[in-house]
Amino acid sequence: MAESPVTAVVEHLSSEIRRGVLPPGTALPTHRKLAAQHGIAIASASKVYARLQAMGLVVGEVGRGTFVRDRPLQREWDADDEARLSSQSVDLSFNHPTWAGQSDLLRATLRELASSGDVSALMHQQPPGGRLHERQIVADHLRQARGMRTTADQVFLVGGAQQGLDVTIRSCLQPNDAVAVDALTYPGFKMAAALSSLALKPVTALNDGPDLNALDALCRRNVIRAIYVMPTLHNPLGWVLSATQRRQLAELARRYDCLIIEDATYAYLVDDAAPPIVTLAPERTIYVSSLSKSVATGLRFGYVVVPQDYAARVKSVVRGSYWSLPSLVTAIATRWIANGTVAQQEQFQRDDARQRQSVAREVLDGMGMVAHPSSQFLWLPLPEGLRMDQVVAALAARGIAASKAEAYATTPHAPHALRLGLSSMPLARVGPVLAEVRHIIEHLPI
């Protein structure tokens, strides 16, 4: 069958984009010019751009035109990444939340900053950990949104939660220190721990959180220097610890003199959770979070809240490593926190995540998926006899990236399961993509 003109143009342009001939940010021809260049109708040109946008390769901006995406869905992977796929049209391995008006908001904010009284201040280097008034904005936000009582000098601004975890480890732990972690935990912490030669000690999981009796036994048998925990929306299992579980965990940390590293990256998605553990054990809890999942992954703005006794050593590590965030990034992020933009986007992401989870529960019904109703991801156990590498390879062949359980496992043997992120594609595609995932899994030979 002869190739349609629309398909031919789509394949030509997608190839040019993927090969870098059309680099990110390139302005593409108007619909009329594209039609003239390729001898197709204007309506067909519109179909070309619609298909390229659905593939995640271009973005259309009202009144400005169509542009090659600044973040085309292509990456190079190594053996430690959750998924391995050089080029894909659907990314379920990471969460890259987007929202309508993102570009317009950034342009408006940059214009505001450009017209501010002392724009040259944005070219100055900040003090280690950030300027005091911007740290105070974060402290105020945490008091209002999370019920945390903290001061500006306990807050350190970092380049996302991952850098926050790295700073925490290098500030407060030594090589070979033992750290208690969930049997399935965030891969970024595993990587940071490996770089600092920490000994991770897995804690078995129950249906609603870590087995605290097992944690108690672990602390009795070993000198555990720290406990890494995600009490509000665990990644990847989605549990939210109750107030009782949080009190028990804080009591265990006091009994065995453990530091608590509280990762709150996804905590904003749950609006009825118990107070953070840092409010129960502020003298031994380091709280780490960011705006990556609520506002934009590329903003790279996060924060670490530390007990006063740890502030000096954290500041020393900050000074000796990255010194401070770019002033422009900090100005944008703290402005959005102060003017309510972050709170607005957190509410949007909560509502959006609930819709995506509702679709997922319907499409994957009967497959044993595990997820919180407000989560941006889900955990999908595989049928007996199917290997996760087999499933991931089959998905990759169909242009779908997925994360394998082994990236999250801290035990020698990982369960055969996938962790699927739901926020990197338009809401309308969640159902069809998950239906394709189900079809692939159910039709693989066992």
Side-chain angles (χ1 to χ4, degrees), residues 183-207:
L184 292 167
T185 196
Y186 169 52
F189 186 77
K190 288 176 56 181
M191 295 178 195
L195 288 175
S196 292
S197 301
L198 299 183
L200 298 186
K201 302 294 184 179
V203 178
T204 55
L206 303 175
N207 290 334

Side-chain angles (χ1 to χ4, degrees), residues 299-310:
L299 188 60
R300 305 315 305 158
F301 178 87
Y303 41 87
V304 178
V305 181
V306 307
Q308 289 286 2
D309 289 348
Y310 289 85

Side-chain angles (χ1 to χ4, degrees), residues 135 153-156 171 306-318:
R135 295 159 73 183
D153 57 357
Q154 293 177 265
V155 175
F156 291 85
S171 303
V306 307
Q308 289 286 2
D309 289 348
Y310 289 85
R313 66 183 83 171
V314 170
K315 185 175 183 177
S316 177
V317 168
V318 168

Side-chain angles (χ1 to χ4, degrees), residues 126 134-135 137-138 155-161 289-293 296-303 325-326 329-334 337:
Q126 301 181 54
E134 289 170 327
R135 295 159 73 183
I137 289 172
V138 173
V155 175
F156 291 85
L157 307 183
V158 293
S289 192
S290 75
L291 301 185
S292 295
K293 304 306 181 184
T297 54
L299 188 60
R300 305 315 305 158
F301 178 87
Y303 41 87
L325 288 183
V329 168
T330 306
I332 292 171
T334 54
I337 292 172

Side-chain angles (χ1 to χ4, degrees), residues 12-240:
H12 169 72
L13 289 176
S14 63
S15 174
E16 297 271 277
I17 292 170
R18 289 188 170 112
R19 291 189 296 113
V21 177
L22 296 174
T26 299
L28 298 178
T30 65
H31 292 215
R32 186 178 298 278
K33 286 184 178 179
L34 184 73
Q37 288 175 2
H38 294 275
I40 59 177
I42 295 177
S44 296
S46 299
K47 292 179 181 178
V48 167
Y49 282 152
R51 285 173 60 176
L52 290 172
Q53 189 159 357
M55 294 165 68
L57 297 175
V58 305
V59 59
E61 299 182 11
V62 177
R64 298 187 71 240
T66 303
F67 300 85
V68 176
R69 284 189 66 166
D70 288 338
R71 185 184 51 79
L73 297 181
Q74 300 177 345
R75 282 196 301 273
E76 293 180 354
W77 303 87
D78 61 39
D80 293 324
D81 288 313
E82 291 101 309
R84 298 184 70 185
L85 194 61
S86 61
S87 175
Q88 67 276 344
S89 59
V90 179
D91 189 356
L92 303 183
S93 64
F94 284 83
N95 281 305
H96 303 284
T98 58
W99 33 274
Q102 204 171 42
S103 299
D104 290 340
L105 174 64
L106 179 58
R107 288 193 190 91
T109 302
L110 291 173
R111 284 195 294 268
E112 291 173 9
L113 291 172
S115 61
S116 62
D118 186 15
V119 69
S120 64
L122 298 178
M123 300 297 288
H124 297 164
Q125 183 170 268
Q126 301 181 54
R131 291 174 290 202
L132 193 61
H133 74 280
E134 289 170 327
R135 295 159 73 183
Q136 185 63 55
I137 289 172
V138 173
D140 291 343
H141 169 69
L142 293 173
R143 183 181 67 253
Q144 296 165 8
R146 310 287 182 259
M148 294 169 52
R149 293 185 177 182
T150 187
T151 59
D153 57 357
Q154 293 177 265
V155 175
F156 291 85
L157 307 183
V158 293
Q162 184 65 32
Q163 188 175 66
L165 293 173
D166 180 60
V167 166
T168 298
I169 289 171
R170 291 198 282 154
S171 303
C172 307
L173 299 172
Q174 298 295 323
N176 302 315
D177 277 350
V179 179
V181 296
D182 298 312
L184 292 167
T185 196
Y186 169 52
F189 186 77
K190 288 176 56 181
M191 295 178 195
L195 288 175
S196 292
S197 301
L198 299 183
L200 298 186
K201 302 294 184 179
V203 178
T204 55
L206 303 175
N207 290 334
D208 60 349
D211 185 337
L212 296 180
N213 289 329
L215 176 60
D216 191 352
L218 177 68
C219 292
R220 285 200 308 269
R221 295 193 308 268
N222 303 270
V223 177
I224 301 297
R225 285 283 296 115
I227 303 169
Y228 172 70
V229 62
M230 294 168 277
T232 305
L233 206 57
H234 177 272
N235 180 15
L237 296 177
W239 66 52
V240 177

Side-chain angles (χ1 to χ4, degrees), residues 11 114 142 245 259 303 398:
E11 291 187 353
L142 293 173
Q245 290 170 305
L259 180 72
Y303 41 87
R398 299 288 289 272

